[in-house]
């Protein structure tokens, strides 16, 4: 029974709850037992809320017994990346500077999932302030990849993917600023979605780069991803960047197939740069899409080669501004023994921030400084516009664009920590999507022949065209039938 529960999709668990075959408490107890079994190896969780989850599960069971369920998923547990503030539950964002921060309110993503009756199992590890591609930048130690404990799970949502991939939770929330959902999902054989910018409220999501950050689901199936996004998407008066348009039911028509769809293959991504095993699985995926009725057309996105350069000016600039609030005065860590406010603030930030966060603050402050703003930040914003225009032009020819999610499979712990540029290039295929604000999904497309580790296929859609994206991803997933699991 336990194995059936921990590897079941959230949608399957919801169906079994509705049929009365299982209780929310049984599900929650099985997931807690699985976490006890695997998390000492993985370090996916920063904080567990077992008792709170069990209480919420019992409440869900009581509601179902009375015919008053809050949603179809009432009683199906989940967990959150520790970037979402949770009222009364410590939220650290993977940083020592927020080690003891106890938020007084819930993020909108959290409050909407609570309103749907989803018990919270805990808060998940991450790169500090979501800055990283390996979850090695967490102030509380790295997370390991369930497929190979010597490799990284990706980042910055590494705790979220490790928990879902290991059967410790059926689904989780992550955030994606330059690939931090899609890249780790690819490295751990999962589905990861970066929605259109503004589709999900950022209220209560600790800011890294406000024009790029977006919350999204991490799941073991496309259907689950659409269902979880359904629960939280939509306008929010607490976030002025959140779109007000009604969100369609993302599950409606998901099984409609892709016969007749035009799929774009990026000319600039077809040369060297991807691991051989990654390229092989992606090429097979293109053949599979054709077999399903899609037509393949080459598109050119010449500005994409400048995406990493533009991103690492824009994101650090916004980081420099957003992280100025951690001054030791209002909340979070405060250095002891300082003689004045200047030394107190300096020492607080020196003690509280890790090396990667300091690196990006300095990069961003420099890019915004007098005499350099136009030369660096201003030009990066112009490149951002070119990327968005290239995508708009491409979508006049095609309905979707596909490419690898990550150029490599999971790399070994410590392999790139001394080479920031090599680490940054992990997101070469994902960063341009954040700069443009489009929707994208990573779906598993097999295991690499090189090392037996998962490979992800990225499907990029127009802004607010999540329905087409999910339709294509679902058709691909159902035809491929990827059911491999890590052996922990």
């Amino acid at each position: 029974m336990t194995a059936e529960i921990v590897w079941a999709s959230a949608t399957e668990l919801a169906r079994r709850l509705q049929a009365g075959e299982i209780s929310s408490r049984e599900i929650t107890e099985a997931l807690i037992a699985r976490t006890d079994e695997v998390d000492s190896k993985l370090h996916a969780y920063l904080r567990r809320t077992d008792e709170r989850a069990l209480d919420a599960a019992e409440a869900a069971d009581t509601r179902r017994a009375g015919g008053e369920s809050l949603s179809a998923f009432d009683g199906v547990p989940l967990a959150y990346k520790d970037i979402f503030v949770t009222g009364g539950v410590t939220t650290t964002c993977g940083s020592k500077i927020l080690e003891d921060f106890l938020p007084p309110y819930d993020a909108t993503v959290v409050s909407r999932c609570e309103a749907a009756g989803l018990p919270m199992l805990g808060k998940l590890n991450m790169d500090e302030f979501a800055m990283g591609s390996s979850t090695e930048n967490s102030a509380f130690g790295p997370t390991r990849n369930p497929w190979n404990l010597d490799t990284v799970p990706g980042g910055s949502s590494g705790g979220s993917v490790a928990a879902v991939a290991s059967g410790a939770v059926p689904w989780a929330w992550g955030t994606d600023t330059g690939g931090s959902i899609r890249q780790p999902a690819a490295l751990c054989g999962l589905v990861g979605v970066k929605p259109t910018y503004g589709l999900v409220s950022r209220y209560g999501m600790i800011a890294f780069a406000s024009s790029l950050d977006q919350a999204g689901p991490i799941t073991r199936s496309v259907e689950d991803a659409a269902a979880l996004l359904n629960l939280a998407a939509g306008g929010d008066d607490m976030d002025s960047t959140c779109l007000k348009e009604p969100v369609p039911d993302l599950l409606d028509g998901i099984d409609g197939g892709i016969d007749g769809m035009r799929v774009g293959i990026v000319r600039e991504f077809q040369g060297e740069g991807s691991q051989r095993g990654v390229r092989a699985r992606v090429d097979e995926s293109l053949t599979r899409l054709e077999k399903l009725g899609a037509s393949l057309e080459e598109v050119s996105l010449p500005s994409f080669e400048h995406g990493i350069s533009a991103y690492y000016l824009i994101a650090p600039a916004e980081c420099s501004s957003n992280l100025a609030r951690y001054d030791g005065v209002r909340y979070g860590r405060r250095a002891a023994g300082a003689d004045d406010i200047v030394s107190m603030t300096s020492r607080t930030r020196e003690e509280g921030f890790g090396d990667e966060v300091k690196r990006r603050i300095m990069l961003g402050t420099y890019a915004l400084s007098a005499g350099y703003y136009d030369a660096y930040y201003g030009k990066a914003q112009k490149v951002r516009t070119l990327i968005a225009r290239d995508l708009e032009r491409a979508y006049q020819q095609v309905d979707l664009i596909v490419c690898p999610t990550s150029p490599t499979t999971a790399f070994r712990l410590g392999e790139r920590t001394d080479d920031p540029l090599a680490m940054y290039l992990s997101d070469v295929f994902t960063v341009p999507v954040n700069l443009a604000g489009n929707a994208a999904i990573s779906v598993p497309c097999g295991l690499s022949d090189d090392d037996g580790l998962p490979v992800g296929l990225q499907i990029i859609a127009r802004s607010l065209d999540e329905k087409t994206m999910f339709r294509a991803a679902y058709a691909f997933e159902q035809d491929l039938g990827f059911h491999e699991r890590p052996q922990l």
Side-chain angles (χ1 to χ4, degrees):
M1 172 68 88
T2 299
E4 290 178 19
I5 292 172
V6 301
W7 293 115
S9 69
T11 306
E12 176 59 25
L13 292 173
R15 290 174 184 142
R16 293 183 65 187
L17 281 169
Q18 180 64 31
E21 298 172 2
I22 198 170
S23 70
S24 177
R25 184 173 181 97
E26 287 175 306
I27 295 170
T28 306
E29 287 176 341
L31 294 171
I32 289 171
R34 177 63 175 171
T35 304
D36 290 339
E37 180 185 353
V38 302
D39 203 48
S40 60
K41 304 172 190 174
L42 300 174
H43 188 42
Y45 279 91
L46 290 179
R47 181 157 284 94
R48 291 172 59 177
T49 53
D50 294 357
E51 291 305 316
R52 172 172 168 159
L54 288 168
D55 289 344
E58 289 190 355
D61 289 334
T62 300
R63 287 191 295 270
R64 280 196 183 274
E68 298 177 348
S69 293
L70 296 175
S71 73
F73 293 92
D74 194 355
V76 179
L78 84 169
Y80 301 93
K81 183 177 181 177
D82 202 30
I83 199 169
F84 296 97
V85 300
T86 41
V89 178
T90 302
T91 301
T92 70
C93 213
S95 178
K96 290 285 186 185
I97 211 161
L98 287 175
E99 189 171 13
D100 300 314
F101 175 52
L102 197 65
Y105 69 99
D106 285 332
T108 295
V109 163
V110 176
S111 61
R112 288 183 177 175
C113 289
E114 293 267 324
L118 279 60
M120 178 176 71
L121 285 169
K123 308 296 291 297
L124 298 159
N125 200 13
M126 57 181 286
D127 283 302
E128 184 179 7
F129 285 100
M131 298 180 198
S133 303
S134 65
T135 316
E136 293 171 287
N137 293 331
S138 171
F140 307 105
T143 296
R144 294 176 181 269
N145 190 322
W147 290 84
N148 181 338
L149 296 176
D150 293 326
T151 65
V152 303
S156 61
S157 305
S160 298
V161 294
V164 176
S166 64
V169 68
W171 50 9
W173 279 98
T175 61
D176 193 311
T177 304
S180 286
I181 287 172
R182 289 160 291 154
Q183 183 254 14
L187 269 51
C188 288
L190 299 175
V191 175
V193 177
K194 188 211 83 76
T196 300
Y197 180 81
L199 191 70
V200 180
S201 173
R202 291 183 300 109
Y203 178 68
M205 197 175 95
I206 296 173
F208 161 19
S210 301
S211 75
L212 300 164
D213 299 341
Q214 188 62 190
I218 293 166
T219 65
R220 289 194 293 268
S221 76
V222 173
E223 185 179 22
D224 279 3
L228 188 54
L229 191 53
N230 266 345
L231 294 178
D236 180 14
D237 291 339
M238 302 301 288
D239 176 6
S240 62
T241 66
C242 196
L243 302 171
K244 305 298 183 186
E245 290 86 350
V247 179
D249 180 358
L250 299 172
L251 288 168
D252 182 37
I254 197 170
D255 58 353
I258 59 172
D259 189 30
M261 272 193 196
R262 301 166 301 162
V263 174
I265 311 302
V266 184
R267 178 186 304 158
E268 290 77 12
F269 289 171
Q270 293 183 64
E272 296 298 317
S274 294
Q275 184 179 316
R276 183 186 61 82
V278 169
R279 189 75 256 169
R281 295 293 85 77
V282 171
D283 287 345
E284 291 168 4
S285 299
L286 300 180
T287 302
R288 187 175 300 277
L289 291 170
E290 279 192 303
K291 185 190 79 170
L292 291 169
S295 61
L296 304 183
E297 300 183 31
E298 187 177 77
V299 296
S300 180
L301 300 170
S303 60
F304 269 40
E305 69 173 299
H306 306 297
I308 288 286
S309 299
Y311 176 86
Y312 279 100
L313 287 167
I314 294 169
E318 296 186 16
C319 144
S320 170
S321 176
N322 276 324
L323 270 61
R325 70 192 67 179
Y326 303 103
D327 55 8
V329 176
R330 286 164 284 192
Y331 55 86
R333 187 187 188 101
R334 176 182 294 186
D339 295 327
D340 55 58
I341 192 168
V342 174
S343 62
M344 184 272 290
T345 297
S346 297
R347 284 173 55 183
T348 295
R349 290 167 70 82
E350 168 63 27
E351 295 172 9
F353 290 141
D355 289 344
E356 182 62 28
V357 172
K358 290 173 186 172
R359 180 183 293 117
R360 297 200 195 191
I361 288 172
M362 288 189 287
L363 280 170
T365 303
Y366 182 83
L368 292 173
S369 61
Y372 297 101
Y373 182 97
D374 290 335
Y376 293 106
Y377 182 75
K379 284 186 178 177
Q381 291 288 15
K382 291 177 181 178
V383 170
R384 184 178 195 171
T385 299
L386 292 176
I387 289 171
R389 287 177 179 170
D390 277 352
L391 277 171
E392 288 173 10
R393 191 178 305 112
Y395 286 119
Q396 293 172 7
Q397 297 176 240
V398 297
D399 303 304
L400 297 165
I401 293 169
V402 298
C403 65
T405 306
S406 169
T408 69
T409 55
F411 45 93
R412 296 182 75 82
L413 286 154
E415 184 179 318
R416 302 183 185 179
T417 50
D418 294 329
D419 188 349
L421 181 57
M423 187 74 79
Y424 297 166
L425 288 172
S426 301
D427 299 324
V428 66
F429 297 133
T430 55
V431 153
V433 183
N434 295 81
L435 290 168
N438 288 50
I441 187 171
S442 179
V443 291
C445 62
L447 302 178
S448 168
D449 296 329
D450 300 331
D451 48 28
L453 294 175
V455 177
L457 178 73
Q458 181 176 213
I459 301 172
I460 307 168
R462 296 179 178 90
S463 293
L464 295 176
D465 196 16
E466 275 80 1
K467 290 197 72 167
T468 301
M469 177 187 78
F470 278 122
R471 217 173 89 206
Y474 183 83
F476 177 83
E477 172 194 66
Q478 295 300 303
D479 191 69
L480 176 63
F482 181 83
H483 300 301
E484 286 81 356
R485 300 171 186 160
Q487 302 300 313
L488 275 175

